[in-house]
Amino acid sequence: MAHDKFGGLAGWDFEGFHSGGDTEIWKRLGSHLVTVEDDERGTLTGVRFAVWAPNAQRVQVVGPFNWWTGDDMELIPGTGVWALFVPGLGEETLYKFKIQDRSGHWHEKVDPVAKFAEQAPANASIVYESKYVWSDDDWMARRRASQAHQEPMSIYEVHLGGWRKGKSYLELAEELVEYVTWQGYTHVEFMPLAEHPFEPSWGYQVTGYFSPTSRFGKPDDLRYLIDRLHQAGIGVIMDWVPGHFPKDAWGLGRFDGTALYEHEDPRQGEHRDWGTYIFNYGRNEVKSFLVSNALYWIKEFHVDGLRVDAVASMLYLDYSREEGEWVPNQFGGRENLEAIDFLRYVNRHLYEREPGILMIAEESTSFPGVTKPVDDGGLGFGFKWNMGWMNDTLRYLELDPVYRQYEHNLLTFAMVYAYSENFILPISHDEVVHGKGSMLNKVPQDDWRKFATLRAYYSFMWSFPGKQLIFMGCEFGQRPEFNESVSLEWWVSDLWGHGGLQRLFRDLNLVYREHPALWRLDSDPAGFSWINADDPGHNTLSWVRSDEEGNHVACITNFSPDPLQDYEIGLPTDGTWTEILNTDAPAYDGSGQYGNLGAVHAKAEPWSHFPARATVTVPPLGSIWLRRNAD
């Protein structure tokens, strides 16, 4: 064969890949449509296949083009990479790799770097080259200049298969974009979109890290959906799963007959809770694979941020293990030093390469410095989910109001550590599955109290320091738990209570975005001041949010079923404070009986540490926001 049998990879030393520094491996490994020069036949087009399998005796590429019998690939000397150029093949060719291990056994594997794959239960990799032309230049320019900590962020978490069952990427590009725009969210967060075989895993057990799931269409269809969201001014976050991968025989596990991507020792290499393998973060090629994958979604799909799943499971060697079931680090400790180094590496690299993106940790422990810069000894994330706030406030929500006064600290404790990290307040899919009940059904007593309490709770959440995330269906009070096999119960939004809650969410987002006092200083103690944190007898909390220009929003929330009339509060300035939100309003299916006639007047009389005071009415199981702009 006179043409380049490696399809352009001849002479490539893969030094970066082996040192952990190749952060774009999708450009070299996997399948690529290429053109080569042949001495006899001139210019040839076809597909170059390349796969890393350093411990294999023999590797073949199989597909319909060779009747699945196999064409032998050749080892590029000194690289562990096998490659082959097959002329005449085109886009959407199906293929797999057959790998013979040292013992002579054959293993059929999908391509770890495939850009597309068959829909489960089929699993062949598919040759795919994007032809998409983006139209989001304005968005991308704004992204590069953005300062996320000082900007509004309310996130709508979506499981694409369950939002409206059966919809494609292209259909969602119309319907989801329209809905999220109407609701006023700044971002959507997609549960993992990488290819996965088991639908009830929701994408958290990935077999195709570079393959958008084909359940909803082709990769360029996903690009179109993201492009449309960007054109509507909506950012896109995607869940990313570098913590573990499933044991399917055709996946990454024991890829060349050895523990290539995972640890050999099950005390280091297996999550028994999840039945999965753990990546070997100390292997440079694995680091190249994972960092490249993170960058791939951001560069090739214009994803604006990655929410990194299960970070706690990566940080601790004894995560969900008993004594003797884990291997200490070199200093005898429980911290996974290799995983910590990897997280710092990926965060530093992505923020340097793509300014303005978001790296978000789902981290459930008190590991220090998750959102501190790497140079200051932190992990380098931009944000962390505030799981403590979530757990405490949901415990409070589930209490009968008569008992809430005894657990008042569940609502106030989060301010003790509010500025230790850059937080997102999450009410995610995890809180409405597996017997935990929907948000509506967590709240005790009758429907009037359930809906009123939820309206007050979400107002409390939207005005608390930190960004916000809410799972789909919570915005209209869906009663059943999340079930990925069916659509959300959209029809209930026409009913009393449900429709009012949905309209409240729209107004929460709109009012929130209009008032920088609610988000500009989220990460600065100067942006928050308690009015009264110590009123458990009324189940009431109140505070003032401020920006650096002297604008203020006072937020008072009453978790008691009794109205508060002539309730005295302190305020930072005297004058007229406009009521900009009242969760008891008829538009939200509230009673409309308890409000402040649009405004309250604060007198220049000291109250506690404030120079002014006012008397307000706060509805039962309700919340009000009052605005005072700088003169």
Side-chain angles (χ1 to χ4, degrees), residues 486-539:
V486 297
S487 293
L488 298 180
E489 291 191 342
W490 290 100
W491 59 272
V492 303
S493 62
D494 292 331
L495 303 179
W496 177 92
H498 299 278
L501 186 60
Q502 189 180 42
R503 290 187 291 274
L504 173 70
F505 263 97
R506 182 173 188 268
D507 285 355
L508 281 175
N509 282 325
L510 294 177
V511 174
Y512 165 76
R513 293 172 74 166
E514 287 173 359
H515 291 87
L518 292 169
W519 41 262
R520 179 80 75 186
L521 299 179
D522 264 335
S523 301
D524 186 335
F528 177 92
S529 180
W530 283 111
I531 296 174
N532 192 348
D534 302 312
D535 192 3
H538 289 111
N539 296 353

Side-chain angles (χ1 to χ4, degrees), residues 34-61:
V34 297
T35 301
V36 303
E37 296 300 324
D38 183 88
D39 293 343
E40 298 177 358
R41 291 179 287 173
T43 301
L44 297 176
T45 59
V47 175
R48 180 188 74 211
F49 299 96
V51 62
W52 178 56
N55 302 303
Q57 284 194 61
R58 189 177 171 194
V59 179
Q60 296 179 334
V61 60

Side-chain angles (χ1 to χ4, degrees), residues 407-477:
E407 301 289 349
H408 193 71
N409 65 301
L410 291 173
L411 296 188
T412 60
F413 181 66
M415 283 310 302
V416 173
Y417 60 88
Y419 303 105
S420 61
E421 304 278 6
N422 301 317
F423 282 121
I424 290 173
L425 311 179
I427 297 298
S428 74
H429 66 277
D430 280 329
E431 310 321 313
V432 292
V433 292
H434 298 155
K436 295 180 182 177
S438 66
M439 287 294 288
L440 188 68
N441 286 333
K442 293 181 193 296
V443 184
Q445 301 188 346
D446 59 27
D447 267 8
W448 187 91
R449 294 189 180 195
K450 285 177 182 287
F451 281 107
T453 301
L454 279 187
R455 294 194 301 268
Y457 177 80
Y458 291 129
S459 172
F460 162 86
M461 175 180 176
W462 250 244
S463 60
F464 200 85
K467 313 307 182 183
Q468 295 83 30
L469 177 141
I470 193 76
F471 183 58
M472 65 180 197
C474 292
E475 78 276 14
F476 54 79

Side-chain angles (χ1 to χ4, degrees), residues 197 204-207 209 244-249 251-253 274-277:
Y204 292 100
Q205 295 198 7
V206 177
T207 49
Y209 272 82
H244 64 126
F245 59 92
K247 294 182 176 180
D248 298 83
L252 290 177
W274 303 329
T276 54
Y277 288 127

Side-chain angles (χ1 to χ4, degrees), residues 96-318:
K96 294 182 183 181
F97 296 122
K98 280 183 68 177
I99 298 173
Q100 188 181 41
D101 65 24
R102 290 169 174 171
S103 301
H105 298 111
W106 286 94
H107 309 268
E108 192 171 85
K109 295 286 187 176
V110 300
D111 181 359
V113 192
K115 301 191 202 76
F116 192 29
E118 286 187 295
Q119 186 171 334
N123 57 32
S125 302
I126 303 175
V127 176
Y128 191 88
E129 300 287 352
S130 175
K131 299 179 180 65
Y132 192 75
V133 179
W134 291 89
S135 300
D136 64 349
D137 289 352
D138 290 346
W139 172 270
M140 296 298 282
R142 288 197 302 273
R143 183 175 92 178
R144 285 188 287 272
S146 66
Q147 300 291 326
H149 301 108
Q150 300 174 15
E151 296 175 0
M153 187 185 300
S154 63
I155 305 165
Y156 187 59
E157 187 189 22
V158 176
H159 177 271
L160 277 186
W163 190 72
R164 284 182 177 153
K165 193 71 177 174
K167 298 294 183 180
S168 67
Y169 291 128
L170 297 180
E171 291 169 318
L172 290 162
E174 306 302 323
E175 297 177 25
L176 180 64
V177 172
E178 180 182 11
Y179 181 74
V180 174
T181 301
W182 174 73
Q183 277 274 286
Y185 298 98
T186 65
H187 292 74
V188 295
E189 179 175 320
F190 292 131
M191 292 163 71
L193 295 179
E195 196 58 79
H196 52 282
F198 185 51
E199 192 165 356
S201 79
W202 310 325
Y204 292 100
Q205 295 198 7
V206 177
T207 49
Y209 272 82
F210 292 80
S211 302
T213 180
S214 55
R215 287 171 174 83
F216 314 117
K218 297 181 178 180
D220 277 357
D221 297 343
L222 174 58
R223 288 180 170 93
Y224 178 72
L225 168 58
I226 294 171
D227 200 355
R228 285 294 308 275
L229 285 161
H230 283 173
Q231 292 173 49
I234 299 161
V236 178
I237 300 164
M238 192 183 85
D239 285 10
W240 185 53
V241 192
H244 64 126
F245 59 92
K247 294 182 176 180
D248 298 83
W250 41 268
L252 290 177
R254 304 298 190 265
F255 188 77
D256 61 0
T258 68
L260 193 61
Y261 288 87
E262 70 275 27
H263 285 277
E264 179 68 43
D265 188 333
R267 295 176 299 168
Q268 298 171 286
E270 294 187 25
H271 272 308
R272 291 179 305 171
D273 289 355
W274 303 329
T276 54
Y277 288 127
I278 301 170
F279 282 105
N280 182 351
Y281 306 106
R283 180 164 286 156
N284 286 334
E285 293 88 352
V286 173
K287 283 196 280 191
S288 287
F289 176 82
L290 288 172
V291 177
S292 292
N293 184 243
L295 185 63
Y296 173 77
W297 290 104
I298 288 169
K299 286 187 70 70
E300 296 295 319
F301 286 85
H302 290 201
V303 166
D304 302 297
L306 299 175
R307 176 268 201 184
V308 183
D309 182 61
V311 171
S313 75
M314 300 171 66
L315 295 176
Y316 297 104
L317 296 164
D318 63 347

Side-chain angles (χ1 to χ4, degrees), residues 611-625:
R613 68 175 66 207
T615 300
V616 299
T617 295
V618 189
L621 300 173
S623 180
I624 62 170
W625 293 358

